[in-house]
Amino acid sequence: MVVEPIPSRLTQERIAACQAAGYWRDEALGDLLEAQARQRPDAIAVVDGPRRVTWAELYRLSRRLALHLWEMGLRPRDVVALQLPNWVEYLVSYHAIHILGAIVCQPGADWRAQEMEYALSMGPARAAIIPAEFRSFDFPAMVAELRSRAPQLEHVLVARGTAPEGCISLDALLSDPIEDRHDEEILRRCRPGANEVSRLVFTSGTTGLPKAIMHTNNTTRFSSRVAVETFGLNPSDVFLVHVPMSANFGALLGIYMSIEAGATVVLMDRFSPEMALELMERERVTYLPGTPTAFIAIMNSPDIGRRDLSSIKLTMSAGASCPVEVVREIRDRFREMFIEAFGMNEFGIAIWTWPEDDPAEVEGSVGRPFQGVEAKVVDDQGRVEAVHQSGELLVSHAGMCVGYHGNPEANAEAWDADGWFHTGDLAAMDSKENIRIVGRQKDIIIRGGANISPYEVEEAITPYPKVREVSVVGLPDPYYGEVVCACVIPKPGEEPTLEELKDFLKPRIAYYKLPTRLALCREFPMNSMGKVLKRALRQQVLESPTAGS
């Protein structure tokens, strides 16, 4: 199946309007990489462990790999599955695929056989780039088992290790100066259009198989360019990127925002708060983006008081709503600009708090849309809700994707006739258009006919001194239908009880919202973006003989 935009999602009217407004430009990602390599050839683009890569080297290696892919027979519009962790090879491969005019398919590095088989069917992919090993997992063995079910997969490139029979060493290709044997004009002729599909990124997959989202260079670049301009990011900045670049947030940070600003990215292939703090001090990180889960871990690390974090000038939380108590701790600790943002893989970042905002006024909200983005909160009939009334959040965005690949049902459900995207998030808007996310429609707990937002209960529990992290789910009950279960990761040495927790909550939330059950957990099941997989957590509680007492 050819990977092409859904016609209703990329009309000539949309292209003309976005170009006229300056939201879209006739620029390819490779153009931006070339510009940085020419203007700042010796500046550091990437820090990956002990390795430091300049803009000139990143450009050279990316073009080298693009030529190797061409020599293998890959051509513009072919699909290449890129399944690497946050390594410099990810950036080289991503740029190489774009320079070739091919489409990068972005499965997560934590995906396994069933998920990877699905990813390889997108396009379908003619090549895959995988690690030899990561987190003690043998990726070539997995792909070898899949090849009989993916006959279109012609080439498997293996990074950082021995390439088994039938695979190609990515390390060897990057060491081979193929540019000495081929006219690089080949790549000029492959330059993709800015409105062609350039990448397939997947939804979180919390409710079944993830959907393959089609993005162009223009839809991806829009919010990253606005972020760079709004927050004054520039070549002196250093980004810490621990969010996987296979996710939209990670790609915006590690690839697009950094190249727009000319900033250095410091990569983490696996997150730990201690290593993050060490890198922040050692590399003089100025921009710390992350998920609420990561910020909670950093703020609870005993190392935080021992590290010099004076270089930080901007922190941004996205991926899920950040508990108010955690936001206060971040502001108190860093004393610098904190931005809460809201986005989705379908459109990148759409809403954020602004540098000039009074923190007290925007506390608990994700801010307001920026230019090129519209948002509204509607009821079940599509009518705009009154101020402070909750309903579904709908978004119209210059960076909106151009549809889901091979999924007509999802395309029909996600966008209405006027082009508004249904996020599935429940939200409320105040008189200044600040938006507060109150939960997911599918996560709402219905107890005896009353709707309970898990997010509201989580916010109430977060300040409890014995709790490090909390996630609230609904459990089946023969009388009420569902009851509230608070799943808690306690702080070290603490063991909260249900009665203690209820006593803490009684002055804070209505009686019917109080947890009926408490599950003490060591960790929560999460996706690669740090979002709690509530369906898996609920099942985990139901199957545990001791949890949920």
Side-chain angles (χ1 to χ4, degrees), residues 103-142:
I103 298 168
V104 59
C105 174
Q106 296 181 267
D110 55 350
W111 284 26
R112 297 300 180 250
Q114 178 177 316
E115 301 150 314
M116 196 58 183
E117 181 178 358
Y118 174 70
L120 292 173
S121 72
M122 297 295 118
R126 291 188 60 201
I129 304 175
I130 59 174
E133 182 272 339
F134 180 62
R135 291 184 180 271
S136 303
F137 185 76
D138 187 336
F139 287 81
M142 173 186 70

Side-chain angles (χ1 to χ4, degrees), residues 298-546:
I298 288 171
M299 300 307 294
N300 280 279
S301 171
D303 285 4
I304 193 165
R306 299 195 287 264
R307 295 294 183 181
D308 177 4
L309 307 179
S310 59
S311 60
I312 299 292
K313 71 177 189 181
L314 171 65
T315 54
M316 176 186 281
S317 175
S321 291
C322 194
V324 170
E325 195 70 19
V326 176
V327 172
R328 291 172 184 163
E329 290 179 17
I330 296 169
R331 290 188 189 278
D332 288 344
R333 168 61 64 177
F334 292 103
R335 299 287 179 183
E336 294 294 340
M337 189 192 309
F338 172 79
I339 301 297
E340 174 113 29
F342 170 85
M344 295 181 70
N345 286 340
E346 281 85 350
F347 49 73
I349 305 171
I351 302 163
W352 53 46
T353 54
W354 293 75
E356 63 271 19
D357 283 338
D358 178 347
E361 283 192 5
V362 297
E363 189 173 80
S365 84
V366 292
R368 304 178 299 285
F370 47 81
Q371 188 175 15
V373 179
E374 294 179 85
K376 61 182 180 180
V377 177
V378 303
D379 64 16
D380 291 342
Q381 305 302 314
R383 297 171 298 213
V384 174
E385 287 282 16
V387 170
H388 299 301
Q389 294 298 306
S390 65
E392 186 183 9
L393 178 65
L394 272 57
V395 171
S396 175
H397 198 307
M400 185 65 68
C401 69
V402 293
Y404 300 118
H405 175 58
N407 199 331
E409 295 83 4
N411 284 309
E413 292 173 2
W415 288 273
D416 67 19
D418 296 320
W420 287 91
F421 177 76
H422 288 252
T423 66
D425 283 294
L426 293 173
M429 188 180 294
D430 67 18
S431 58
K432 295 185 178 180
E433 298 188 345
N434 291 305
I435 294 169
R436 184 173 186 268
I437 304 298
V438 299
R440 292 284 295 170
Q441 284 182 316
K442 294 175 181 177
D443 292 337
I444 288 295
I445 300 166
I446 303 176
R447 178 189 184 274
N451 287 1
I452 301 171
S453 164
Y455 177 76
E456 181 186 1
V457 183
E458 289 162 2
E459 280 284 310
I461 294 173
T462 297
Y464 187 52
K466 294 185 177 183
V467 170
R468 176 183 152 175
E469 293 182 59
V470 58
S471 184
V472 168
V473 298
L475 296 182
D477 182 83
Y479 183 72
Y480 288 108
E482 279 186 300
V483 292
V484 175
C485 176
C487 304
V488 164
I489 300 176
K491 287 184 176 178
E494 301 289 358
E495 192 169 343
T497 68
L498 178 61
E499 289 308 312
E500 289 174 351
L501 185 60
K502 289 169 73 171
D503 287 343
F504 176 79
L505 293 173
K506 283 173 183 175
R508 291 168 168 80
I509 56 175
Y511 183 82
Y512 72 91
K513 298 176 184 177
L514 294 175
T516 303
R517 303 178 71 179
L518 173 66
L520 301 183
C521 307
R522 286 192 295 271
E523 60 183 7
F524 295 146
M526 293 188 178
N527 65 14
S528 60
M529 272 290 292
K531 288 184 180 180
V532 177
L533 298 171
K534 285 185 179 275
R535 187 170 59 172
L537 178 59
R538 180 176 181 269
Q539 192 61 35
Q540 181 178 298
V541 172
L542 289 171
E543 292 175 356
S544 171
T546 58

Side-chain angles (χ1 to χ4, degrees), residues 262-318:
T264 301
V265 293
V266 179
L267 298 177
M268 292 184 70
D269 63 1
R270 63 191 80 194
F271 176 78
S272 83
E274 290 72 32
M275 179 54 68
L277 288 163
E278 179 183 330
L279 289 170
M280 287 154 63
E281 179 181 59
R282 187 174 76 212
E283 301 297 339
R284 307 308 295 155
V285 169
T286 63
Y287 176 32
L288 176 61
T291 62
T293 302
F295 278 111
I296 290 168
I298 288 171
M299 300 307 294
N300 280 279
S301 171
D303 285 4
I304 193 165
R306 299 195 287 264
R307 295 294 183 181
D308 177 4
L309 307 179
S310 59
S311 60
I312 299 292
K313 71 177 189 181
L314 171 65
T315 54
M316 176 186 281
S317 175

Side-chain angles (χ1 to χ4, degrees), residues 212 257 262:
M257 286 173 65

